[in-house]
Amino acid sequence: MNKVMAALLGAGVLMASTQSLAAAFQLAEQNVSGLGRAYAGEASVADDASVVSRNPALMSKLDGTQLSIAAMYVKPDVSLQGTSTNNGVPASALDNSSIAPSAVVPSAFITTTVSDKWSIGAGMYSQFGLATEFDDNYVAGQIAGETEIVTINTGVAASYQVDEQWSLAFGLNHVYADAKIIRNLGANNLRVPSDTEVVNLEGDDSGFGWNIGVVYNIDADNRFGFHYRSETDITFEGTFSNQLPAAAPFNGTAGKQLPGSVAITLPAIAEVSGSHKLDTKSTLHYSILWTGWNSFQTLSAQVDNVGTVFSKDENFSNSLRYSVGADYQWSETLKLRAGFAYDESPADEQHMSISIPDTDRTWYAFGAEYQLSKVASIDVGVSIIRGKTQRFIEKDNAGSEWGFKSKGHASVFGLQYNHTL
């Protein structure tokens, strides 16, 4: 495999992994009850069984057996405007009004009280996910194409109420991840069609992690919570191929699949929250969520019988997410919610990419809970997410430089059903 082929493979693997770790796709959407207040207070609010995902120590605040099933519809609005090129291609050819398709993020949780001290729970949800799509003949095909990753987190946890003030919890998580990356040749002077696939990589893997939770009740109206989730190691084992001719000077695979792998580490996450009842109707919530993106410093890709074909420093930084929200008990059956959050990006400004141009984001959220009966309720929520406008230049392996102005926004709509069994 010559240097050109190795570089093309390396670029494809880079895009598959880097963008699966973009903060914009570190999914907060594990429940709808939290969606309505921009996920403020998630480590200290015992709304429903979804506490399994954000702080299982809160299970001690739930009675009996609780079931929660939710679905969130995520509608991204990520657009690109070309600003410059160095290869004679008009900058306007880079314009794209939407590169991220919509998606549905489901989740399900159950908790049950075992005794006056112990509770257990389980859940299925997602913490990381992305999908971006460009036309096969996009002029900057080597840095565009199709990128997709889906993760499913299955977790179990147990909580123990030490006394009236303290509750502790420990959980185990199994994460399944599936990834696909396709890259096309794009504009070139090789007399090769622009939609020729230069990278087609698919793979999956699973890993294990753990989490701990703590709840401290100052009194009946004031509570603090802490939750920590460990890193999870994932090694995508799969196949690599392309449509480049096997003959020189390409030395491609001509569609033949080769085994390959990419090892990544999903970052650790920690959250500190507070909840304070201000009066008989109003409650204030806030959170600071830390994500340990510094675990992602270098990316390396391996192909069997070839060895390391790519190694690159990424220099991701740890990021923080700040949120504040409130609940208002409008009536016996209706609770209203609202929230605001600011979400930092971990991406190095020198490594921006059109696959998902990451940026700091601001959340504006609203929601409500309606009590259907003594044992059933529904939650609805909506969050409007606004990203900063970014300007950057990205290079491909052919030496072309592509200049962009990107805008990234999103809307999230959710519906959740809760039931006490």
Side-chain angles (χ1 to χ4, degrees):
M1 182 178 291
N2 65 7
K3 293 182 179 179
V4 173
M5 191 58 225
L8 289 172
L9 173 59
V13 172
L14 170 65
M15 300 313 298
S17 299
T18 300
Q19 297 314 319
S20 72
L21 292 175
F25 289 90
Q26 176 189 338
L27 300 176
E29 293 84 4
Q30 278 92 56
N31 59 50
V32 177
S33 48
L35 177 67
R37 55 174 180 268
Y39 295 103
E42 283 296 278
S44 57
V45 183
D47 280 326
D48 47 59
S50 66
V51 297
V52 172
S53 66
R54 298 296 282 265
N55 188 357
L58 291 164
M59 291 190 297
S60 62
K61 305 301 177 185
L62 303 176
D63 296 325
T65 298
Q66 306 276 339
L67 175 68
S68 294
I69 301 174
M72 284 138 286
Y73 175 70
V74 183
K75 182 176 177 55
D77 180 13
V78 184
S79 62
L80 296 171
Q81 179 182 343
T83 58
S84 65
T85 66
N86 69 343
N87 52 19
V89 176
S92 60
L94 298 173
D95 293 354
N96 196 310
S97 60
S98 179
I99 67 173
S102 301
V104 175
V105 182
S107 62
F109 305 92
I110 187 169
T111 64
T112 189
T113 301
V114 177
S115 68
D116 59 345
K117 293 287 188 180
W118 288 95
S119 297
I120 58 174
M124 293 187 67
Y125 50 97
S126 180
Q127 287 186 296
F128 298 91
L130 89 100
T132 56
E133 296 178 357
F134 289 80
D135 290 339
D136 291 347
N137 59 358
Y138 188 66
V139 292
Q142 293 184 40
I143 59 174
E146 181 181 352
T147 307
E148 180 179 293
I149 182 169
V150 176
T151 66
I152 301 174
N153 189 318
T154 304
V156 295
S159 70
Y160 179 73
Q161 186 167 335
V162 179
D163 53 33
E164 291 184 358
Q165 290 184 302
W166 291 94
S167 296
L168 308 175
F170 177 78
L172 295 174
N173 311 291
H174 174 268
V175 180
Y176 170 79
D178 183 271
K180 177 173 69 173
I181 172 71
I182 297 174
R183 293 292 177 266
N184 305 101
L185 187 59
N188 65 87
N189 56 8
L190 302 175
R191 297 183 180 179
V192 178
S194 61
D195 62 354
T196 300
E197 289 185 2
V198 295
V199 171
N200 188 315
L201 177 67
E202 296 188 45
D204 63 357
D205 190 32
S206 59
F208 291 89
W210 54 271
N211 61 299
I212 57 173
V214 180
V215 169
Y216 175 69
N217 296 282
I218 300 176
D219 53 38
D221 296 330
N222 299 277
R223 180 188 303 151
F224 293 106
F226 169 78
H227 184 236
Y228 176 84
R229 185 177 297 276
S230 71
E231 296 178 347
T232 303
D233 293 326
I234 298 290
T235 300
F236 291 103
E237 300 279 358
T239 60
F240 166 78
S241 65
N242 61 39
Q243 295 175 340
L244 294 173
F250 301 101
N251 291 336
T253 74
K256 180 181 178 180
Q257 293 184 336
L258 301 175
S261 64
V262 178
I264 64 173
T265 298
L266 300 179
I269 302 170
E271 183 172 10
V272 177
S273 299
S275 296
H276 308 280
K277 193 169 184 178
L278 304 179
D279 54 40
T280 58
K281 292 183 176 293
S282 305
T283 305
L284 175 69
H285 310 283
Y286 51 87
S287 287
I288 299 177
L289 187 144
W290 169 90
T291 304
W293 289 113
N294 66 354
S295 65
F296 187 63
Q297 292 294 305
T298 303
L299 180 69
S300 181
Q302 308 286 327
V303 173
D304 287 7
N305 301 320
V306 176
T308 302
V309 297
F310 187 78
S311 183
K312 188 176 186 298
D313 292 334
E314 283 304 316
N315 302 318
F316 267 36
S317 301
N318 297 338
S319 64
L320 292 172
R321 184 181 191 275
Y322 309 89
S323 56
V324 60
D327 299 331
Y328 183 77
Q329 194 70 47
W330 180 268
S331 67
E332 290 185 1
T333 57
L334 180 63
K335 179 188 291 185
L336 303 179
R337 300 185 176 107
F340 171 86
Y342 182 76
D343 199 358
E344 294 180 345
S345 167
D348 188 328
E349 292 184 358
Q350 303 303 314
H351 296 83
M352 298 295 295
S353 169
I354 64 168
S355 237
I356 296 297
D358 199 20
T359 180
D360 297 342
R361 293 159 301 281
T362 304
W363 292 55
Y364 305 91
F366 307 92
E369 177 186 3
Y370 183 75
Q371 200 70 33
L372 298 172
S373 67
K374 291 183 178 181
V375 298
S377 66
I378 57 171
D379 291 287
V380 295
V382 57
S383 284
I384 307 301
I385 305 168
R386 307 291 292 179
K388 294 181 179 179
T389 298
Q390 297 275 31
R391 293 178 179 269
F392 59 95
I393 294 176
E394 188 171 3
K395 300 179 181 179
D396 65 23
N397 291 288
S400 293
E401 296 183 356
W402 311 95
F404 299 93
K405 181 173 73 171
S406 69
K407 295 181 180 180
H409 310 306
S411 301
V412 184
F413 308 90
L415 178 65
Q416 178 174 313
Y417 176 75
N418 311 295
H419 196 94
T420 301
L421 303 177

